[in-house]
Amino acid sequence: MTGMVAAQPAAAADPAGYQNVRINEVTSSNSDTVELYNTGTTAVSISGWKMSDDSFSPQTFSPSSSTIPAGGFATFNSPKGLGDSDKLVIYTASGTVVDRVEWATNGAKPAMARCGGDGTGGWVTTTAASTFGASNASGCPSSTPAASRVRINEVASDGADTVELYNGGTSTVSIGSWKYVDNDTTHSPVSISSSSPSATSIPAGGYVTFNSTLGLGDNDSVFLLDSNGNTVDSVTWATDGAKPSDERCANGTGWFQTSTTATLGSANSCSGSGDGGGTGGGGGQLLGGGGSLTSGCTPEAPSGTGSTPAGTLAWPGGPDVTIADNVCAFTTSTGPEGRDLSGLAFDPANPSVLWAAKNKNWLYKLVKSNGKWIPDASWSATGKQIRFAGGTGQPDSEGLTVGANGHIYVTSERDNTNNTVPKDTIMEFDPAATGSTLTPIHQWDMTSQFPQLNTGNKDDANLGFEGVGYVPDSWLTANGWVDPLTGAAYNPANYPLHGSGLFFAGLEWDGTLHVYGLNSDGTFTTFGTIATGKVSVMDVTFDAGTQRIIATCDNTCGETHTFMKVNASGAIVPDVTYTNPAVMPTDNLEGFAIAPTSTCVNGLREAVWSDDGIYGFGSGSSSHGHAIYSGTFPC
């Protein structure tokens, strides 16, 4: 399966999966506490493991548990004090180095923690209280320093022993005084500049390579230190894991896998099988063999799987898909399950922002951090609750889109406080509004148009507006769309209160699109129904890059996306339908969005999916408990 990540078995003397255990948080004050995290899919015994700092030899410690479950934590207090400027090395019982972290003065006060993903993120000095035994997310700053965006991106231990660094941030980072070291604890860190005199800085989106003078072998590691002595990133690999090379897939963000072709100094090819790859910090993890399990939320198995429409084509983008959120990231006060992330939409004015709707009346503003989409803490670290007009009810929020005015338009199928009755509405929210709860500026109620949903059955009431997409008038007129109300070419001037575009709402009941002009006086104009060729629609988006309206369906229709065009007769009809990348699970993937073409790199841009059930491939899989997936789509 494309994108699989599987570690080679450890040496016989070491427990299976030891390389998946990572130092996740450490404090050098009070009790000198250390937290370990298991990034793998199976439990790892840490019985008899040892630790050292920069002044004492390895000695055993007493962990909170002698075994760390998959996706679980273990903590312990250092048997010797940890200082202001110190390091921590973890060993197996046989003396194999597992992981290490170094920090400068006050770097571990309150704590040093991996931010952007437990066990995977970049090391950051936290400003909030420590989070030992739990996810680091709540203790991490809202934005990570520029230096922590630099990642070890590829390592070759065959021949010249080359290390490649990649800057995934938006600004140049000076690395002239940075150092590196391998997992031989008798070695002192070596400056990058002594190995590569020209490696003084890394531009945003750029690469730097250097040849290690320490020698890199089987079962080895590279640890990257900044000018203050703080650990920035690390990677550990097994036998032959870095031959020809060990590289992040996807480039700059994913987990490490063994590659069949080294691509040092350029974007990773991700051409390997995934065998023998290492572990290491990074953004998301590739789908496949290993990852974290859920904790504190309840995944929901997919339902309603149906056949793929005839004539469907293979996904045109890259084959690899990355998990792009933290586990159980969207639990709220209105539902502990943490699974109901549905609609997605990139902000056209700011493509670094991804808006997301959660079924039980929540709205999220997401931003990228170390390759993952996380709530923007400056807007709300936990999302904002939405209400119907008048501040009442709990909208069953399913789809959303961004209008020309920058406002967020959200669809609802029903009121969750009365879920047997449909309430098919489109609500307009101003994202600049203050407070933790948002009420609509305008609300348009189309419930009466769908009597087939009003049967007194909650399942029927739940088959209404599942997605919505804003389509600009300029596209409709340029492509010759015929107004079904007049039978002539669409003339926006005929509808003076509707703004500069129309809204296409997808009906889950039968896969049709319903076109509306949303008027500023609270009324609306109905422009009729469009067949998508699907039995259901879960999300709707307009993509300026392909100049198409996209109707997305989950496993009900074989995980497909139908691109709609205006034909020679002026009607909107299906053009082409694509499946998801083959690596993805067959789940209730209800949200889909493609980044604007302004974000294109090497002919590709990001595509994002959301899972309404966070089921992934099931319990124990890398995707279990995650809602967001990230892949690529052609520019």
Side-chain angles (χ1 to χ4, degrees), residues 83-120:
D84 284 346
S85 180
D86 213 336
K87 73 179 178 183
L88 170 69
V89 184
I90 301 295
Y91 309 81
T92 65
S94 65
T96 300
V97 173
V98 177
D99 198 14
R100 65 180 276 173
V101 61
E102 297 192 28
W103 59 90
T105 302
N106 291 328
K109 293 180 179 179
M112 280 274 286
R114 292 187 185 270
C115 291
D118 288 307
T120 63

Side-chain angles (χ1 to χ4, degrees), residues 274-287:
D275 296 333
T279 62
Q285 62 206 58
L286 283 167
L287 293 181

Side-chain angles (χ1 to χ4, degrees), residues 323-536:
I323 295 169
D325 68 333
N326 292 317
V327 69
C328 301
F330 302 102
T331 54
T332 64
S333 60
T334 53
E337 69 280 1
R339 66 189 183 212
D340 290 329
L341 203 63
S342 187
L344 296 173
F346 279 96
D347 192 328
N350 185 2
S352 63
V353 169
L354 181 68
W355 292 98
K358 177 178 165 67
N359 295 43
K360 290 178 173 61
N361 67 301
W362 290 83
L363 186 64
Y364 288 89
K365 181 182 181 182
L366 305 178
V367 293
K368 265 292 182 64
S369 176
N370 290 319
K372 293 185 179 181
W373 288 104
I374 65 170
D376 182 355
S378 66
W379 193 75
S380 173
T382 56
K384 292 191 178 185
Q385 199 166 12
I386 61 174
R387 300 292 190 185
F388 288 114
T392 62
Q394 294 183 5
D396 187 11
S397 42
E398 294 281 0
L400 81 167
T401 189
V402 182
N405 57 1
H407 289 181
I408 310 302
Y409 293 77
V410 180
T411 58
S412 179
E413 295 178 317
R414 55 188 178 172
D415 184 341
N416 281 318
T417 64
N418 185 19
N419 64 6
T420 63
V421 179
K423 191 174 179 64
D424 289 286
T425 58
I426 301 176
M427 299 161 285
E428 176 187 357
F429 297 96
D430 181 359
T434 59
S436 59
T437 302
L438 300 177
T439 55
I441 297 173
H442 296 102
Q443 177 174 301
W444 299 271
D445 193 327
M446 294 83 170
T447 309
S448 63
Q449 295 185 350
F450 310 104
Q452 71 271 31
L453 305 180
N454 194 10
T455 65
N457 184 298
K458 69 176 183 178
D459 292 332
D460 288 341
N462 197 40
L463 295 175
F465 286 162
E466 189 76 15
V468 64
Y470 170 79
V471 179
D473 286 339
S474 57
W475 182 80
L476 295 167
T477 56
N479 286 275
W481 182 54
V482 172
D483 184 344
L485 299 181
T486 66
Y490 172 60
N491 182 4
N494 291 337
Y495 311 98
L497 300 180
H498 83 291
S500 57
L502 302 182
F503 291 80
F504 287 58
L507 196 70
E508 185 177 2
W509 172 270
D510 60 3
T512 53
L513 301 182
H514 296 258
V515 186
Y516 300 103
L518 304 181
N519 299 324
S520 57
D521 62 358
T523 63
F524 60 89
T525 303
T526 302
F527 288 89
T529 302
I530 297 171
T532 65
K534 296 173 177 286
V535 298
S536 198

Side-chain angles (χ1 to χ4, degrees), residues 293-314:
L293 290 176
T294 59
S295 175
C297 64
T298 305
E300 179 182 42
S303 60
T305 298
S307 60
T308 302
T312 298
L313 302 179

